[in-house]
Amino acid sequence: MSNVKGLIAAAVATLVVSAGVAHADAAAAVKARQAHMDLYAFNLGILGSMAKGETDYDADAASAAASNIEALAKMKTGAFWPQGSAAGEIENSRALPEIWTTYPAVAEKAQDLVAASEAMSVAAGTGLEPLQAAMGPLGGACVACHKAFRQPE
Amino acid sequence: MSNVKGLIAAAVATLVVSAGVAHADAAAAVKARQAHMDLYAFNLGILGSMAKGETDYDADAASAAASNIEALAKMKTGAFWPQGSAAGEIENSRALPEIWTTYPAVAEKAQDLVAASEAMSVAAGTGLEPLQAAMGPLGGACVACHKAFRQPE
């Protein structure tokens, strides 16, 4: 967590850079961030299925999924979230305008996800119980951001 | 390139692990790998647009996109490519069966992409000309794999 300020500063810089993207680019950005979420979901599904005992625990598969989630959490996603891509501004977006108006609150939630994903990366390959213990904070970090910044369906 | 063997071994292990996934999971895997490709495309689009002079060169934005592409190239994607998810075996797949039958040829191409993405990460933030020079090998690594392992539309 020592590099929180650096990460937030980098995220702010990228958001400012991306503020000038045109509407057509905003649609591409929405597609990119949904792809990003799909990759979270797929990898989280692998871990969740093991955590619930629906699939056998597999250290290599768990480690791979956790490593992918950590890589996703650490991506530089400023360009995925340009101005003009909130719900109501563009199709297929459930992003609340608070993402942009209360910034950097969203960057702090993103940082919580980075921390939870790092903890999962450490835990996932070591056994089912550590994996299960790491699921709560990881799922919690997802939910916290969705609750604050995503329009209900 | 010193960890090529390790990467290939890890990829083989994950593919073997994922060989038992059921058909429903194969559909989810197809969605995951298409999301993975969408994220490549979006980030590559940022670099390509600068390389062609369609958008102004921006060192921070270029670095962010390059870093994302490198992270995508280094993901552990074995679970995205289960047996039973080739073209003809499942909807929306253009993956040629040679992916699985000529393995690890595909892992070698993946490793070429890792190398090209690392070179782009080094170059992208240093100037437009280095970025342009790194585009050829990066685009070439994408094309080489698509040409060998993706069904034409």
Side-chain angles (χ1 to χ4, degrees):
Chain A
M1 298 284 289
S2 63
N3 57 349
V4 175
K5 281 186 190 172
L7 278 169
I8 293 177
V12 171
T14 318
L15 264 192
V16 171
V17 162
S18 63
V21 212
H23 192 77
D25 294 333
V30 169
K31 190 177 171 188
R33 69 201 192 205
Q34 289 174 348
H36 192 225
M37 298 295 173
D38 283 346
L39 281 181
Y40 275 123
F42 181 78
N43 288 286
L44 207 60
I46 291 171
L47 298 177
S49 173
M50 288 184 202
K52 288 184 272 180
E54 293 168 359
T55 51
D56 289 343
Y57 173 72
D58 180 295
D60 290 337
S63 284
S67 155
N68 288 345
I69 291 167
E70 184 181 346
L72 291 165
K74 290 179 172 174
M75 275 193 184
K76 293 164 183 170
T77 59
F80 302 4
W81 300 91
Q83 296 281 353
S85 67
E89 295 183 307
I90 193 160
E91 271 183 49
N92 298 320
S93 175
R94 289 165 61 199
L96 292 178
E98 284 75 12
I99 289 171
W100 293 271
T101 56
T102 66
Y103 203 83
V106 67
E108 286 159 12
K109 293 215 185 300
Q111 188 50 42
D112 291 343
L113 178 59
V114 168
S117 73
E118 285 174 343
M120 178 58 90
S121 277
V122 172
T126 64
L128 181 57
E129 286 187 18
L131 184 159
Q132 288 169 326
M135 277 303 286
L138 184 55
C142 299
V143 169
C145 198
H146 289 162
K147 211 168 171 178
F149 294 112
R150 188 175 64 168
Q151 202 173 54
E153 286 200 271
Chain B
M1 298 285 291
S2 65
N3 56 351
V4 175
K5 280 186 189 169
L7 279 168
I8 293 176
V12 171
T14 318
L15 264 193
V16 171
V17 161
S18 64
V21 223
H23 192 76
D25 294 332
V30 169
K31 190 177 171 186
R33 69 201 193 207
Q34 289 174 348
H36 192 225
M37 298 296 172
D38 283 346
L39 281 181
Y40 275 123
F42 181 77
N43 287 286
L44 207 59
I46 291 171
L47 299 177
S49 174
M50 289 184 202
K52 285 183 274 179
E54 293 168 359
T55 52
D56 289 341
Y57 173 72
D58 180 295
D60 289 340
S63 284
S67 154
N68 289 344
I69 291 167
E70 184 180 347
L72 290 164
K74 290 179 172 175
M75 276 196 182
K76 293 166 183 170
T77 59
F80 302 4
W81 300 91
Q83 295 280 351
S85 67
E89 294 182 308
I90 193 160
E91 270 182 51
N92 298 320
S93 174
R94 290 164 61 199
L96 291 178
E98 284 73 13
I99 290 172
W100 293 271
T101 57
T102 65
Y103 202 83
V106 68
E108 287 158 12
K109 294 214 183 300
Q111 187 52 40
D112 292 342
L113 178 58
V114 168
S117 72
E118 286 174 343
M120 178 58 89
S121 278
V122 171
T126 64
L128 180 57
E129 285 187 20
L131 184 159
Q132 288 169 326
M135 277 303 286
L138 183 55
C142 298
V143 169
C145 198
H146 288 162
K147 210 167 172 181
F149 295 114
R150 186 174 67 167
Q151 203 172 56
E153 285 200 269

